[in-house]
Amino acid sequence: MPRVILIVDDDRELCELVGELLRAEGFDVEAHHTGEGAVELAAGGRFALVILDVMLPVQNGFEILRALRNRSAVPVILLTARGEDIDRIVGLEIGADDYLPKPFNSRAALGHRRRAIENVVRNGSRYTPEGTSVDISVATTTTHARIVVRDHGPGVPPEEIDRIFLPFHRVGASRDRNSGGTGLGLSIAARAAGVHGGTIRARNADGGGLEVAIDLPLYKALHSLAVS
């Protein structure tokens, strides 16, 4: 599989910083400093991951991402100083796999696995009845970890199981004892797991409730940025 990462950002110092972090983990890094030609380059099939700045000259990152998604499913992390919630939502809707705000913090990049798990646990606690618990188990092999989160709520209709990871999809108010929510939690968890080389699946548990399993590779820290 490709082990080359493309950084598209006009901040040359930031490109050097991110490049140093990724090269230390054994990846090759290429930097491109304008939006011009970025789609053609990123869609060429040579890259394991694209780190894409939003505030680029000439053509911005949202425009590049929209055009790229018509040609390629390469994982994309948006990197930008525009950290408002609406910008994150727009980026995810267009097809970004994750979103990092500037100034870049390497710990933020390494926290995305935790975000996937937290979103699943939060979802379980919202949908489980009062007086019950959310059950969490962890199992590991030499290469992978599996985190299973189970609530004790009413579960999900079988025809809805494959849809609960779609952005803004909600099964129905009757499942949510607190109501509210945007319907983005499981979608963000799925994207975070996917960009880090993992998978996320759901099923109705024996005896009731929804069970969500996250499988993640046990790579060294920054390997999670670039395995798809």
Side-chain angles (χ1 to χ4, degrees):
M1 63 181 298
R3 292 184 59 83
V4 185
I5 296 171
L6 174 64
I7 305 173
V8 183
D9 197 315
D10 59 340
D11 185 334
R12 295 175 182 269
E13 291 185 1
L14 182 63
C15 288
E16 291 178 5
L17 169 62
V18 178
E20 287 178 6
L21 291 170
L22 293 171
R23 289 187 186 97
E25 295 300 324
F27 292 97
D28 295 324
V29 179
E30 291 187 17
H32 189 74
H33 300 299
T34 71
E36 296 176 286
V39 175
E40 196 72 29
L41 188 60
R46 298 177 46 238
F47 302 104
L49 174 72
V50 177
I51 299 176
L52 176 63
D53 185 24
V54 169
M55 301 296 287
L56 287 166
V58 183
Q59 189 178 22
N60 68 44
F62 290 146
E63 294 170 328
I64 293 169
L65 178 59
R66 188 178 286 109
L68 179 61
R69 280 295 171 255
N70 290 327
R71 300 180 55 184
S72 172
V74 61
V76 175
I77 293 177
L78 288 179
L79 182 61
T80 177
R82 296 177 58 175
E84 294 84 356
D85 287 343
I86 188 62
D87 291 322
R88 293 188 177 94
I89 292 171
V90 169
L92 293 171
E93 283 185 323
I94 293 172
D97 293 277
D98 217 330
Y99 200 110
L100 282 176
K102 291 181 180 180
F104 177 78
N105 184 324
S106 60
R107 289 191 177 185
L110 305 184
H112 286 183
R113 292 184 177 201
R114 184 172 62 248
R115 181 190 304 175
I117 298 166
E118 287 175 349
N119 281 355
V120 172
V121 173
R122 191 174 297 115
N123 181 79
S125 92
R126 187 188 308 83
Y127 294 133
T128 204
E130 294 280 7
T132 64
S133 62
V134 176
D135 302 328
I136 304 171
S137 63
V138 180
T140 61
T141 67
T142 56
T143 60
H144 283 74
R146 167 167 284 195
I147 302 96
V148 178
V149 179
R150 177 192 172 178
D151 66 45
H152 291 272
V156 172
E159 65 273 14
E160 296 282 343
I161 287 285
D162 291 337
R163 302 175 189 168
I164 63 174
F165 298 108
L166 297 176
F168 302 106
H169 182 78
R170 301 190 63 199
V171 174
S174 61
R175 178 169 149 74
D176 187 349
R177 65 176 170 84
N178 293 320
S179 71
T182 63
L184 279 173
L186 289 180
S187 171
I188 292 172
R191 288 182 179 277
V195 79
H196 297 321
T199 60
I200 186 168
R201 295 183 177 87
R203 73 178 188 93
N204 287 314
D206 297 336
L210 184 71
E211 182 179 280
V212 179
I214 306 172
D215 288 287
L216 292 170
L218 294 177
Y219 297 142
K220 292 170 65 177
L222 276 172
H223 278 242
S224 64
L225 275 174
V227 179
S228 62

